[in-house]
Amino acid sequence: MTETTRIIAWSTELRRVHTRIREALEVTRQAVRDGMPSEHASRDLLLYCHGFCAALDGHHQGEDRALFPAIEAAHPHLAPVLRALTQDHSMIEHLLGGLRDAVDRSAAPDELDRHLEGVAAIMENHFRYEEKQLLTVLEGLELNAAVPEVLGPL
C-alpha cells in the first residue's frame, strides 16, 4: 500500500509538519546564537538558514497548490480563511527573502536573529490560526495525494 492510496490523517500530518518546521527554526536560531567567526561556522549557518527557508517555502507552496484548493472544494465557506492564510504565506515569503539576503551578505548575528524573530512571530501566529481553523476540517478531508506534495518535502 502506497502513501497515496492509504487514508491520510491530514490533521496529524499538518501538526507533524508544523512541529518539524518549528524545530528547524529553533536549530537555525541556535546556530545563529552559537555562531563562531570561522568560515566553517558561516557555511553551516548558511545551510541552516537556507534549509529552514526552503522547508517553510515548500510547505506553503504545497498548501497553496494542493491542500487549500481541496479544502475550498469540500468547504466553500472557508474561502475567506484560506485567503487569509494565503496572504500570510506571502508575508512570510517576504520575510524569508529578507533573511536570505541577510545570510547571503554575511550579516551580523544580531541582524540575523532579528530576521529570525520576525519570521518566528508571524509563522507561529499563522500556524496557530491555521490549526485552529482547519484541523477539524482536515480530520475528514479526502485528498488522494502524497504528503510531500500537499504539505512540503519535510
Side-chain angles (χ1 to χ4, degrees), residues 9-146:
W10 290 107
S11 60
T12 301
E13 295 296 340
L14 181 69
R15 278 192 232 112
R16 184 176 299 146
V17 168
H18 284 179
T19 297
R20 288 182 188 155
I21 291 173
R22 286 176 176 117
E23 290 168 353
L25 175 63
E26 185 50 39
V27 167
T28 302
R29 294 188 81 186
Q30 191 61 49
V32 169
R33 289 189 290 267
D34 294 346
M36 297 179 301
S38 73
E39 182 181 323
H40 180 69
S42 297
R43 276 197 313 268
D44 286 349
L45 181 57
L46 185 76
L47 289 173
Y48 285 130
C49 287
H50 282 297
F52 167 71
C53 290
L56 191 53
D57 272 345
H59 171 60
H60 288 161
Q61 288 171 14
E63 286 181 334
D64 292 346
R65 181 181 56 250
L67 184 63
F68 292 174
I71 292 171
E72 189 168 359
H75 302 277
H77 66 282
L78 289 175
V81 169
L82 299 171
R83 276 193 301 279
L85 291 168
T86 301
Q87 287 174 342
D88 284 355
H89 291 174
S90 293
M91 182 187 328
I92 292 169
E93 182 180 351
H94 175 73
L95 294 172
L96 290 175
L99 173 60
R100 283 185 192 101
D101 290 345
V103 169
D104 289 346
R105 63 180 162 71
S106 300
D110 62 327
E111 182 182 346
L112 292 173
D113 193 53
R114 281 193 306 272
H115 282 285
L116 288 166
E117 179 65 30
V119 170
I122 300 299
M123 183 189 86
E124 189 58 37
N125 186 55
H126 170 78
F127 282 179
R128 287 176 191 232
Y129 178 72
E130 186 172 63
E131 290 172 4
K132 181 180 178 185
Q133 295 297 317
L134 300 182
L135 284 180
T136 302
V137 169
L138 291 175
E139 291 289 330
L141 184 69
E142 291 187 30
L143 177 57
N144 187 20

